[in-house]
């Protein structure tokens, strides 16, 4: 991208000088660069690290492909880079995608059981070897790619798209992303869409003429309410001592360096 930009600049200057000297008016006519979003690779890397700090108490999100455990939240097994759950359908869809791409993989034999336990916290048909086989699968680059792709399809891309349409910046898009990761976007009262509806009842997003900071605080208020509806999520520090910190500092572009705390642990990104 940088190389292309450097080549394009002289060409533009030559074209301008062929007819008239390049002046302030000519320069002003150049299109403004598009605003950076959370889908910018560097910003996305930051987002993955912050989510990992909350989900896995580590900034090393790429070490989480192999992660799997039942954390006792009623969602069965939680696993992988974004907390795919055996009880909330996204783990089933992930293993189905992996199996479509690589039939006969080590997890394919668990598909009938995953379909049976979907919507519950049951391990029926998964124990005793599912967790071991998940770790084996995580050594496969195809499984890692499947996790990345499902993360983007189900969580990341929808959050960024909705955030951009609401006129919020990188930080706001991240706040949306983290909410979708934890709450999903189903029809229940604590889903992302309903959290957003609660926020909209209190403040307008920038796309509707509202103040970004006011709107993000309204969204985080609604997010905290949703978290407190579940005992497993009643610790709201990933909002209070992380996202609120960035909002308070008006760091709407999520620029580094960043310092925050989650569940009492301190984290830093240069």
């Amino acid at each position: 991208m940088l190389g292309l930009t450097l080549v394009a600049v002289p060409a533009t200057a030559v074209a301008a000088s062929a007819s008239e000297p390049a002046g302030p008016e000519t320069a002003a006519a150049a299109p403004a660069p598009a605003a950076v979003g959370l889908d910018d690779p560097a910003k996305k890397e930051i987002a993955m690290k912050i989510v990992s700090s909350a989900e896995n108490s580590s900034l090393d999100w790429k070490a989480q492909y192999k992660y799997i455990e039942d954390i006792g939240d009623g969602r069965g097994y939680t696993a992988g880079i974004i907390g795919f759950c055996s009880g909330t359908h996204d783990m089933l869809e992930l293993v189905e995608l992996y199996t479509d791409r690589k039939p006969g993989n080590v997890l394919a034999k668990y598909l009938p059981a995953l379909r049976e336990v979907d919507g519950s916290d049951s391990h029926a048909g998964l124990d005793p070897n599912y967790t071991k086989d998940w770790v084996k699968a995580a050594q496969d680059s195809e499984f890692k790619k499947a996790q990345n792709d499902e993360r983007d399809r189900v969580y990341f891309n929808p959050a960024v798209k909705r955030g951009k349409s609401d006129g919020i910046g990188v930080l706001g898009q991240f706040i949306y992303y983290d909410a979708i990761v934890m709450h999903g976007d189903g029809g229940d009262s604590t889903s992302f869409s309903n959290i957003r509806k609660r926020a909209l009842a209190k403040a307008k997003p920038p796309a509707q003429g509202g103040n970004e900071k006011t709107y993000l605080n309204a969204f985080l208020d609604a997010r905290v309410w949703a978290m407190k509806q579940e005992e497993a999520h009643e610790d709201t520090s990933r909002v209070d001592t992380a996202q609120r910190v960035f909002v308070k500092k008006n760091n709407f572009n999520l620029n580094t360096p960043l310092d925050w705390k989650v569940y009492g642990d301190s984290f830093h990104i240069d």
Side-chain angles (χ1 to χ4, degrees):
M1 289 295 291
L2 182 58
L4 290 173
T5 303
L6 291 174
V7 171
V9 171
T12 303
V14 170
S17 62
S19 56
E20 59 180 328
E25 294 82 8
T26 305
V36 172
L38 193 66
D39 47 356
D40 173 84
K43 299 299 183 181
K44 187 174 185 178
E45 180 69 15
I46 290 170
M48 290 302 298
K49 288 180 177 180
I50 299 174
V51 170
S52 185
S53 74
E55 296 284 325
N56 303 100
S57 300
S58 168
L59 296 182
D60 188 5
W61 69 269
K62 292 180 181 178
Q64 310 310 323
Y65 290 106
K66 66 181 182 296
Y67 164 75
I68 181 167
E69 68 174 322
D70 189 326
I71 61 175
D73 63 353
R75 292 172 170 82
Y77 281 120
T78 296
I81 58 171
I82 210 63
F84 300 100
C85 296
S86 59
T88 62
H89 198 62
D90 56 353
M91 182 181 285
L92 169 60
E93 291 187 320
L94 167 63
V95 178
E96 286 178 335
L97 175 64
Y98 180 38
T99 303
D100 284 345
R101 294 177 175 178
K102 189 171 185 177
N105 69 74
V106 70
L107 296 180
K109 61 181 175 287
Y110 295 103
L111 280 171
L114 285 170
R115 293 185 181 110
E116 285 296 318
V117 303
D118 192 22
S120 76
D121 62 356
S122 173
H123 296 179
L126 299 176
D127 292 341
N129 294 318
Y130 183 66
T131 56
K132 295 176 184 177
D133 285 336
W134 181 281
V135 173
K136 289 179 184 177
Q139 299 172 22
D140 182 2
S141 61
E142 279 295 327
F143 188 48
K144 292 177 181 178
K145 186 177 187 304
Q147 288 196 38
N148 291 343
D149 291 346
E150 281 298 277
R151 170 202 62 201
D152 290 349
R153 181 183 72 85
V154 180
Y155 302 107
F156 189 83
N157 293 344
V160 172
K161 183 179 180 181
R162 181 77 264 181
K164 288 182 176 181
S165 69
D166 281 342
I168 54 179
V170 176
L171 173 59
Q173 292 164 36
F174 169 75
I175 287 172
Y176 275 15
Y177 174 51
D178 191 66
I180 291 182
V181 166
M182 175 178 282
H183 303 278
D185 199 19
D188 57 283
S189 63
T190 59
S191 70
F192 166 76
S193 289
N194 281 310
I195 291 172
R196 180 174 169 273
K197 284 180 183 177
R198 291 178 72 92
L200 290 172
K202 300 291 185 181
K204 291 181 179 180
Q208 297 179 25
N211 176 273
E212 185 166 14
K213 188 171 190 176
T214 301
Y215 174 71
L216 291 181
N217 275 317
F219 185 89
L220 291 177
D221 289 345
R223 170 80 188 281
V224 167
W225 172 85
M227 291 175 71
K228 288 184 175 179
Q229 304 310 301
E230 274 190 271
E231 185 177 349
H233 294 150
E234 62 184 2
D235 185 327
T236 59
S237 64
R238 68 194 288 161
V239 170
D240 302 331
T241 56
Q243 296 170 38
R244 295 268 196 204
V245 172
F246 307 144
V247 173
K248 186 176 182 179
K249 292 183 177 180
N250 299 314
N251 191 357
F252 301 122
N253 204 39
L254 210 55
N255 291 324
T256 56
L258 295 168
D259 291 281
W260 73 98
K261 292 182 179 181
V262 182
Y263 309 136
D265 296 328
S266 297
F267 297 93
H268 174 81
I269 297 177
D270 290 316

